[in-house]
Amino acid sequence: MKRYMPEPYRIKSVEPLKILSRKEREEAIKRAGYNTFLLRSKEVYIDLLTDSGTNAMSDNQWAGLMLGDEAYAGSESFFHLEEAVRDVFGFHYVVPTHQGRGAENLLSQILIKPGNYIPSNMYFTTTRAHMELNGGIFVDVIIDEAHDPTRSDVLFKGNVDLDKYEALINKVGAEKIPYICVAVTVNMAGGQPVSMENLKQVYELSKKHGIRVIFDATRCVENAYFIKSREKGYEDRTIKEILREMFSYADGCTMSGKKDCIVNIGGFLALNDEELYRKACSLVVVYEGMPTYGGMSGRDMEAMARGIYEALDYNYIKHRVEQVRYLGEQLAEAGIPIVQPIGGHAVFIDARRFLSHLVQDQLPAQALAAAIYVDSGVRTMERGIVSAGRDKDGKNRYPKLELVRLTIPRRVYTYAHLDYVADSIISLYQNKNAITGLKWVYEPPVLRFFTSRFEPI
Ligand code: F0G
């Protein structure tokens, strides 16, 4: 019998789930153009599309909603949020935004000039889109092993390759690099963490050349958990102590609160540099709102301030990451190819190997996500050629990783739900040869994965 850690919470409010018949699911995915983003939520049984904004808030956070201060200017809830960010992340200036990409927009506009280079440990879709919209050139400087789903021996697969980074500095010159973006953890690599040692080395190299270090802090608590459980010398440190040290190696961060701040909406840009903060404030009023609410309501800032502290609880984060591992291990034990090691927020199925009879142009990950939905009502997400988009010249990018992401929302599903997911995918794997590829019917110009439509070949 499988053993697992009991949920470190009990359930006070429930949301009933329904599953459609197989025939209804077949109709639904056809109507959605074989794109799981275009399904309606009521057509989904277990929703593993994303861990973004899908969190269950605590009773304490819901209570905070009632106490939210909705003043247009100088909201008390803003000051609670600012205090929490100063205390946990160590940055002095905080600009709230409606979500992570709002902060990415501000940062990219302030720092990037056309022709600049922005190195990063692999890309994230919206982060790279903002860099490119501002004329920046994204350069992937993650270690090679991150592109190999079989390298289970590499415990910090999100690490920056210092040689690649230094080679870029030598090639283009530090003055052309406004900042390095370091994601903790790396979503597109499979939720892989960055080690403290690497963060420190990246910071030292950057400072030597006068380059800013900006973290994409979206899943930083999961990263801290991996440091605590995998990196020598951190076993006895608290999650908060680890976070403080991590962020001491950065000049600022963008944050999607919809992940590790355990809320449904919100984000922020945090900085130490006063001049940059002033510039961010003059932009935030144009794009989001007054600097004391940005894109958020008072109640949402209150819930986020509380979520930041709840996420520091060791039992919370241990249960969260261990749930993901539990699902991943069941799939791996049944021989299903997944990205190893299992990451912090999701299990990533290697669609190239799952559907080895398809070539990448037949969109194996998109086809597999659609097939999983039809088979079980479980909604997952493509993270492969469709998500990677086209380059400047209009050519398709061919990412090495062609993945389907099973993303676990925080505090939402139980181990029994995960057993259902695992059993369904294991039985689908036994009939994998019946799954056919897909072809495009409609493709939008940017962030195409959200609204593209397909049909079976
Ligand atoms: N950075 C990372 C690493 C992310 O995963 C996301 C969002 C963002 C930035 C942007 O934040 O959505 O609040 O604007 N990831 C979601 C996902 C959408 O499903 O992985 P946002």
Side-chain angles (χ1 to χ4, degrees), residues 155-156 159 193-201 223-237 242 245-246 249:
L155 294 182
F156 290 100
N159 279 359
V194 183
S195 71
M196 192 72 88
E197 187 192 14
N198 189 249
L199 292 176
K200 193 171 172 198
Q201 289 167 337
N223 202 100
Y225 176 77
F226 282 122
I227 288 177
K228 185 173 167 71
S229 46
R230 292 180 183 173
E231 193 163 351
K232 212 166 164 278
Y234 291 91
E235 309 81 344
D236 299 325
R237 305 274 292 276
I242 294 172
E245 184 180 340
M246 283 167 60
Y249 305 128

Side-chain angles (χ1 to χ4, degrees), residues 123-185:
Y123 81 101
F124 182 71
T125 54
T126 60
T127 321
R128 186 175 65 192
H130 280 293
M131 293 169 184
E132 292 177 348
L133 284 170
N134 286 284
I137 300 155
F138 165 88
V139 184
D140 186 2
V141 293
I142 202 165
I143 55 171
D144 285 338
E145 292 88 332
H147 294 279
D148 181 350
T150 64
R151 286 298 300 272
S152 58
D153 55 313
V154 186
L155 294 182
F156 290 100
K157 251 182 162 179
N159 279 359
V160 171
D161 183 326
L162 295 160
D163 293 336
K164 285 188 196 168
Y165 180 28
E166 196 158 29
L168 178 75
I169 300 172
N170 292 336
K171 189 170 145 211
V172 305
E175 63 291 349
K176 283 260 177 82
I177 305 177
Y179 64 96
I180 178 170
C181 171
V182 184
V184 286
T185 58

Side-chain angles (χ1 to χ4, degrees), residues 18 29 85 158 201 257 269 297 306 310 329 339 390 395:
K18 280 206 185 77
I29 198 73
V85 175
Q201 289 167 337
L269 172 65
S297 63
R306 292 172 185 222
E310 287 180 16
E329 282 178 353
V339 174
R390 293 178 183 273
K395 291 204 196 77

Side-chain angles (χ1 to χ4, degrees), residues 13 60 107 123 157 174 220 275 286 295 325 342 349 360 383 424 432 445:
S13 175
N60 176 50
L107 179 81
Y123 81 101
K157 251 182 162 179
C220 60
E275 197 193 322
V286 180
R325 194 171 67 153
I342 297 160
I349 299 177
Q360 202 168 15
R383 292 275 89 151
S424 317
K432 59 188 163 49

